[in-house]
Amino acid sequence: MDFSELGLNPQLLKALSEKGYTEPTPIQAATIPTILEQKDIMAGAQTGTGKTAAFALPVLQQLSCLPVNAEKMATESADADINVNRSTVSDHPVRALVLTPTRELAQQVYRSFVHYGKYSLLRSALVYGGASVNTQIKELGEGVDILVATPGRLLDLISRGAVNLSQIEHLVFDEADRMLDMGFIIEIKRILKSVPSERQTLLFSATFDQQVFDLSKTLLRSPVLIEVDARNTAAIQVEQIVYAVDADRKRELVSHMIGARNWHQVLIFTRTKQGADNLASEMCKDGLKTQSIHGDKSQGARERALEDFRQGHIRALVATDVAARGLDIDQLKYVINYELPFNAEDYIHRIGRTGRAGGSGLAVSLLSADENYLLEEVEAILDTSLPQQWLPGYEPDFTKEVKPSRKNSRAAQKQRARDRALGKKPAKRKR
Ligand code: AMP
């Protein structure tokens, strides 16, 4: 199948062929015609499957309701590199709103709209926290058709009266599961009050759980459910390896793997911001250029680190789950889980950073004995077993005493039962 069979207009087809896309990915083939029929959809698509274009293309197409001649003129003007006068659209209210959980994902989605829409007369804008609000207000004042936003900053702009959402025709929730995990439900409900109920709503989520279904009930009208991969499964083209190793030898093992195997552009996940900083600085001491990104870093620092990583100026990037959401790095081959995530679904998001759009990838998880229960949770959600291996020279030392793992160890269960019987509050989990 090629893109023209999906009913996309010539401007979009031209932009796609410039990108070198020859055929739609399965999620694109499944969603684009349905969205063009103006239906609401609820789509299960992991990151890396081409889901951004799956909603961006049909939204752009529906918004470009230009007469055929005007479309032709726009294409020809762009061909001739003539600056199209966009003042005709500058006073339009926002017509499409895309909500994303993180700044990085917002930037990626915005870039896609700009690229795919380059031969249309539509204007896209991006608003997220951590960047100058005045610049964003100015841009919104100049007229915007498509707005890509993170929920907090958008609410701020709504309360300042800087954005009018009363004419929204298409509302997209990208990575809805993550938005809910990050606690954005209150912001979402407030934003919905500013958006007309007569609209098309598209909900994309890597994973589905009760929370996502509850949200979908309040948002969508007779949605078409689209799932191209089995629910909650990881991209099959990603090879997954689990090395059992002592916690205090993980850092050494990471540096050894990257150095000895000559890996470049390695994305490493830690559970905490401090863990990310410590690991990055230790790896630098090992002679591997490494930076960290997490929520305590300024937007500028995050963008610089990301750009250095993209350009190959640094060998590895250490990230927390939230900061890494939405990262789209072409040809990223290696992901290392320095620690397994507490939330098993994050594992899917993490390894989805590699093996994108059909490329191959390798995800290595370093498992210390106290993380066994987390691996079991990952295996349960993937419905597959991930056998543990030992790397020669880094075999776990079984003579060491292993701290009982918090959640599911028998000792922990017994302790909780004793605490309940004694009416004690359960101890808080340390992160
Ligand atoms: P996404 O899931 O939207 O983050 O997209 C993952 C990657 O796939 C991005 O780098 C896209 O540029 C790329 N991509 C999207 N659609 C296609 C396609 N039809 N053919 C090849 N690459 C694509």
Side-chain angles (χ1 to χ4, degrees):
M1 178 187 273
D2 68 42
F3 277 107
S4 58
E5 292 171 59
L6 298 177
L8 295 172
N9 69 32
Q11 290 86 44
L12 294 173
L13 294 177
K14 185 168 161 58
L16 287 169
S17 86
E18 279 176 13
K19 267 281 212 190
Y21 299 175
T22 48
E23 54 179 321
T25 64
I27 187 73
Q28 292 162 2
T31 55
I32 292 172
T34 315
I35 299 174
L36 290 177
E37 283 170 24
Q38 299 177 3
K39 296 197 173 114
D40 282 6
I41 66 160
M42 176 160 179
Q46 325 159 25
T47 183
T49 54
K51 68 179 169 57
T52 314
F55 60 78
L57 294 169
V59 165
L60 282 162
Q61 167 124 344
Q62 292 181 90
L63 293 180
S64 337
C65 26
L66 293 168
V68 174
N69 280 349
E71 285 189 354
K72 195 161 169 277
M73 272 169 52
T75 313
E76 281 167 0
S77 309
D79 276 347
D81 220 10
I82 292 169
N83 212 350
V84 177
N85 179 0
R86 291 169 183 266
S87 62
T88 47
V89 291
S90 68
D91 50 357
H92 283 187
V94 181
R95 295 169 63 201
L97 172 65
V98 184
L99 289 175
T100 75
T102 63
R103 303 160 186 180
E104 283 77 14
L105 183 60
Q107 285 170 330
Q108 183 196 320
V109 169
Y110 167 75
R111 278 200 298 268
S112 297
F113 270 100
V114 169
H115 191 91
Y116 304 138
K118 68 194 279 196
Y119 297 119
S120 76
L121 296 176
L122 299 164
R123 288 170 69 117
S124 301
L126 171 64
V127 297
Y128 54 77
S132 157
V133 74
N134 289 333
T135 313
Q136 294 173 359
I137 291 174
K138 188 165 167 283
E139 203 182 348
L140 288 168
E142 286 165 6
V144 161
D145 300 284
I146 300 151
L147 183 61
V148 182
T150 53
R153 176 55 60 94
L154 180 61
L155 263 187
D156 182 11
L157 290 163
I158 293 172
S159 66
R160 290 168 189 250
V163 60
N164 174 3
L165 302 180
S166 66
Q167 306 296 312
I168 291 291
E169 296 160 38
H170 311 279
L171 175 62
V172 184
F173 286 81
D174 193 10
E175 302 201 352
D177 52 347
R178 172 56 72 155
M179 256 188 275
L180 294 170
D181 283 351
M182 289 171 70
F184 280 133
I185 188 69
I186 294 170
E187 283 85 349
I188 290 172
K189 284 187 175 156
R190 287 202 188 128
I191 291 167
L192 285 174
K193 287 190 185 145
S194 307
V195 175
S197 53
E198 199 57 45
R199 57 166 200 258
Q200 179 180 49
T201 308
L202 313 173
L203 184 144
F204 284 73
S205 195
T207 54
F208 287 144
D209 61 10
Q210 197 53 46
Q211 259 191 314
V212 176
F213 278 112
D214 289 346
L215 176 69
S216 75
K217 275 186 227 142
T218 64
L219 285 179
L220 306 170
R221 279 195 295 194
S222 317
V224 178
L225 182 66
I226 296 175
E227 285 181 277
V228 287
D229 291 317
R231 231 182 264 177
N232 297 345
T233 59
I236 41 166
Q237 61 272 34
V238 179
E239 187 189 352
Q240 300 171 67
I241 293 180
V242 179
Y243 287 128
V245 58
D246 289 330
D248 57 3
R249 297 202 68 200
K250 283 188 177 183
R251 204 265 312 132
E252 201 189 323
L253 174 54
V254 167
S255 294
H256 166 78
M257 255 190 315
I258 295 176
R261 299 178 183 184
N262 199 21
W263 287 355
H264 291 264
Q265 276 196 322
V266 186
L267 182 60
I268 306 173
F269 286 94
T270 59
R271 286 195 290 248
T272 63
K273 299 168 193 172
Q274 203 192 349
D277 284 341
N278 289 346
L279 180 60
S281 80
E282 289 298 315
M283 288 177 61
C284 286
K285 287 184 203 155
D286 289 340
L288 297 168
K289 274 193 179 174
T290 307
Q291 290 185 32
S292 57
I293 56 165
H294 52 67
D296 283 354
K297 300 245 167 173
S298 70
Q299 183 60 21
R302 284 159 70 160
E303 277 169 22
R304 275 193 305 280
L306 201 54
E307 205 39 41
D308 283 348
F309 188 57
R310 271 209 183 93
Q311 301 295 332
H313 300 321
I314 55 171
R315 196 96 175 250
L317 187 67
V318 189
T320 55
D321 289 293
V322 169
R325 192 73 182 216
L327 294 188
D328 179 22
I329 294 139
D330 281 346
Q331 314 293 329
L332 181 61
K333 278 221 166 70
Y334 309 106
V335 165
I336 298 179
N337 292 311
Y338 188 76
E339 295 149 327
L340 282 183
F342 283 128
N343 178 356
E345 283 170 2
D346 283 339
Y347 178 88
I348 296 174
H349 296 303
R350 287 179 176 191
I351 75 166
R353 306 287 108 216
T354 175
R356 293 165 82 79
S360 63
L362 175 65
V364 176
S365 300
L366 305 186
L367 188 83
S368 49
D370 61 336
E371 292 177 301
N372 275 314
Y373 77 95
L374 295 172
L375 182 65
E376 281 167 24
E377 287 173 11
V378 168
E379 289 177 325
I381 200 168
L382 292 177
D383 195 21
T384 187
S385 95
L386 297 171
Q388 297 180 31
Q389 309 180 24
W390 296 348
L391 203 67
Y394 293 90
E395 300 87 347
D397 177 357
F398 292 108
T399 59
K400 277 187 189 165
E401 197 193 334
V402 176
K403 276 196 238 147
S405 66
R406 285 169 296 264
K407 209 172 132 194
N408 278 342
S409 72
R410 270 164 205 267
Q413 284 169 8
K414 277 189 190 161
Q415 184 61 48
R416 279 202 298 272
R418 272 198 298 273
D419 287 349
R420 269 198 304 276
L422 294 170
K424 282 191 197 167
K425 279 192 180 162
K428 273 198 180 149
R429 276 220 245 162
K430 278 187 204 158
R431 291 218 165 188

